[in-house]
Amino acid sequence: MDIDLPSECKDVTVGHPIDGLENFRELTTPDAGIKPGVLFRSDQLDGLSDAAIAELNGLAIETIVDLRTPEELKTYPNAQIPSVDFNVNLPIGSDPADIAKIMPIEIASQIRPMWFEGKFDEIDQLLADHDVDLRQIRIDRYRDFATKFDPQVSRFLHLLTDANNFPMLFHCAGGKDRTGYMAAVTMLTLGYSEEDAVRDYLTTNAFTYDELEQLVGKGPHSLRPAFGAHPEQIKASLQAVKDAHGSLDTYRRDILGISDEEVESIRQNLLLQN
């Protein structure tokens, strides 16, 4: 099965405490270093039941950061959580899982009926005939996260410097791609390693394994790069930062405008003090 799982997977506790949310969780770290109940990552919060809203309200979430586009917000509006006083929209492009946005529309429109008819070999051939390399398209998209949305990433990290913004929840559509990049930058800012950031990123596959098992196991090979979290994708975004700026610290300080003092504030807000 072509599904990448995080290292030390047996130590990852998988649960779905909020009804209707498949990828709601706190950051996954190799230690107990991040304060519990302070920073959550998730898929989109539309169509939630009253019970789910009550559960989120019970977490006393103060701030929600939505990484989706205004179009996505309008089509799938988030449920209103009574405890939330601060909603921030930091759009990082369109949903990377929307194939209509990542390949010519005339090709994307042919894939849907083929999928439902089980014509997976024909999908593979269609993409090959039109030189659509979804693996490379996805990698390029992740590089875009690191090079085209600096104001959004900067604003997010600045939000983390203010203790009044917590507990905080940040999300995109599926809680994997855009959320995954923002989570990786956050973990690196906290002092965790790239390996730790990739581990958290791949935890999405543990939380959504049942769905992925169906999509990856039965779906066309050519579309597999769009399903689940792939380490090469998040690694491509982090490498793009280093290629463009020399180091992640330079990116953080000179491009995102996060000073060493502000990093210390973020760490004070999020890390348990030993």
Side-chain angles (χ1 to χ4, degrees):
M1 190 67 65
D2 186 23
I3 300 175
D4 293 293
L5 292 173
S7 60
E8 304 173 11
C9 186
K10 66 181 184 301
D11 297 329
V12 176
T13 300
V14 176
H16 301 100
I18 309 298
D19 180 45
L21 295 179
E22 293 299 314
N23 203 11
F24 172 86
R25 54 191 172 89
E26 299 184 62
L27 298 191
T28 309
T29 61
D31 55 23
I34 295 181
K35 295 176 182 177
V38 172
L39 186 62
F40 301 92
R41 51 176 295 175
S42 181
D43 37 334
Q44 63 192 20
L45 310 176
D46 67 308
L48 295 182
S49 66
D50 290 343
I53 292 172
E55 291 284 352
L56 289 170
N57 186 61
L59 295 172
I61 293 170
E62 177 73 21
T63 304
I64 289 180
V65 180
D66 195 329
L67 306 176
R68 300 176 299 160
T69 63
E71 179 184 7
E72 291 175 273
L73 271 65
K74 182 178 180 180
T75 304
Y76 303 103
N78 280 342
Q80 297 300 307
I81 313 300
S83 65
V84 174
D85 286 332
F86 194 18
N87 285 280
V88 184
N89 181 212
L90 302 176
I92 301 185
S94 59
D95 182 1
D98 185 349
I99 62 173
K101 303 287 188 181
I102 58 178
M103 66 180 67
I105 187 64
E106 62 271 15
I107 299 174
S109 63
Q110 296 178 60
I111 289 177
R112 186 177 179 84
M114 287 181 180
W115 177 280
F116 286 110
E117 293 171 14
K119 298 178 178 178
F120 298 148
D121 289 342
E122 292 185 25
I123 291 176
D124 289 339
Q125 190 61 52
L126 173 69
L127 297 184
D129 289 345
H130 290 84
D131 295 321
V132 175
D133 183 350
L134 194 54
R135 174 184 176 276
Q136 189 59 51
I137 289 171
R138 294 279 298 177
I139 287 175
D140 290 344
R141 181 62 198 280
Y142 267 74
R143 287 176 176 152
D144 286 348
F145 292 160
T147 57
K148 295 185 177 180
F149 301 99
D150 297 337
Q152 290 91 324
V153 181
S154 173
R155 174 62 172 150
F156 181 77
L157 290 182
H158 276 104
L159 290 171
L160 299 182
T161 67
D162 188 344
N164 294 316
N165 291 332
F166 299 99
M168 180 189 295
L169 182 153
F170 64 105
H171 74 92
C172 53
K176 171 173 63 74
D177 300 307
R178 295 168 286 186
T179 298
Y181 179 70
M182 207 69 89
V185 172
T186 298
M187 291 189 67
L188 293 168
T189 302
L190 291 173
Y192 287 94
S193 68
E194 288 188 42
E195 181 182 2
D196 294 333
V198 171
R199 181 176 185 266
D200 174 70
Y201 171 75
L202 291 178
T203 299
T204 282
N205 289 347
F207 273 66
T208 59
Y209 189 86
D210 291 344
E211 179 184 10
L212 287 176
E213 192 174 27
Q214 294 297 315
L215 293 170
V216 174
K218 299 179 180 179
H221 189 273
S222 57
L223 293 182
R224 288 182 183 178
F227 302 139
H230 297 267
E232 63 181 9
Q233 295 177 5
I234 192 67
K235 288 179 180 179
S237 65
L238 299 180
Q239 186 60 49
V241 168
K242 290 180 281 188
D243 290 344
H245 309 296
S247 72
L248 291 160
D249 273 344
T250 300
Y251 168 67
R252 181 265 302 168
R253 184 180 60 250
D254 296 346
I255 305 304
L256 302 182
I258 303 296
S259 68
D260 293 345
E261 291 75 18
E262 287 171 317
V263 169
E264 183 58 30
S265 294
I266 294 172
R267 292 177 179 175
Q268 287 285 336
N269 289 335
L270 293 179
L271 295 179
L272 293 167
Q273 304 303 312
N274 296 322

